[in-house]
Amino acid sequence: TFVRAPGAGPHPAPGRTDAAALEDTLRFREVLEVGAAGLCAAHGLDAAGAVRLREALERTGDAPSEEYRRQDTLFHLTLAELAGSPSLTARYAAVRAEVNGLLDGIPLLVRNLEHSQRQHAALVEAVLDGQADAAREIMREHCAGTAALLRGFLT
């Protein structure tokens, strides 16, 4: 868990953002998430890891809108943890805290959440099937969608 005052770190208060700082955060997030997805698929998950990932996916699907962002964060953090690199996990947690701060400044759109959930499901299947290229591409598209949404609202 990370606690920061609004405006702490590289970004101004929610609703106002510096374009360069936004791009830096979004690109760093993409590198970490695409890498984590690829590592999980390439190295495979043991039975316990597969169960953790599927359960995290189910929790995002069952989450009411006010709980979705937290469950979404836990889903992505689970994937980072399952990649097997504590350094990746720590850096992902930090960048996700920044991304969540940005997401808090825009509305939750049901259509986007539904699309995100379909991407999550496809990602889990690619990871569990050991399809590293597919897992990386799905995650790249997922990050690009969030990035486009944030750019549209915040810049």
Side-chain angles (χ1 to χ4, degrees):
T1 303
F2 297 89
V3 178
R4 292 193 292 180
H11 297 289
R16 296 184 329 234
T17 192
D18 172 80
L22 176 64
E23 287 305 314
D24 179 56
T25 297
L26 295 175
R27 289 178 184 182
F28 188 54
R29 177 204 181 198
E30 181 181 343
V31 167
L32 293 177
E33 294 237 39
V34 169
L39 285 171
C40 285
H43 295 287
L45 300 180
D46 61 16
V51 167
R52 279 186 63 203
L53 189 58
R54 285 196 186 278
E55 287 175 348
L57 174 64
E58 287 174 22
R59 285 190 299 275
T60 61
D62 295 339
S65 60
E66 64 275 2
E67 178 67 12
Y68 183 81
R69 182 140 318 123
R70 187 171 92 74
Q71 292 303 325
D72 180 58
T73 297
L74 292 172
F75 171 78
H76 286 271
L77 188 56
T78 297
L79 189 69
E81 289 172 348
L82 292 171
S85 168
S87 296
L88 185 151
T89 302
R91 284 164 182 82
Y92 177 71
V95 79
R96 184 58 191 232
E98 289 183 43
V99 170
N100 282 351
L102 295 168
L103 288 169
D104 286 344
I106 68 171
L108 272 175
L109 304 172
V110 173
R111 183 180 196 150
N112 289 8
L113 299 183
E114 291 169 348
H115 180 67
S116 178
Q117 195 60 20
R118 288 191 299 273
Q119 288 177 321
H120 287 166
L123 174 65
V124 168
E125 292 311 310
V127 166
L128 296 180
D129 289 344
Q131 298 175 354
D133 289 340
R136 284 189 290 268
E137 188 55 33
I138 293 164
M139 185 58 85
R140 186 173 288 107
E141 289 174 14
H142 185 67
C143 289
T146 302
L149 190 66
L150 287 168
R151 287 181 192 113
F153 277 101
L154 298 177
T155 60

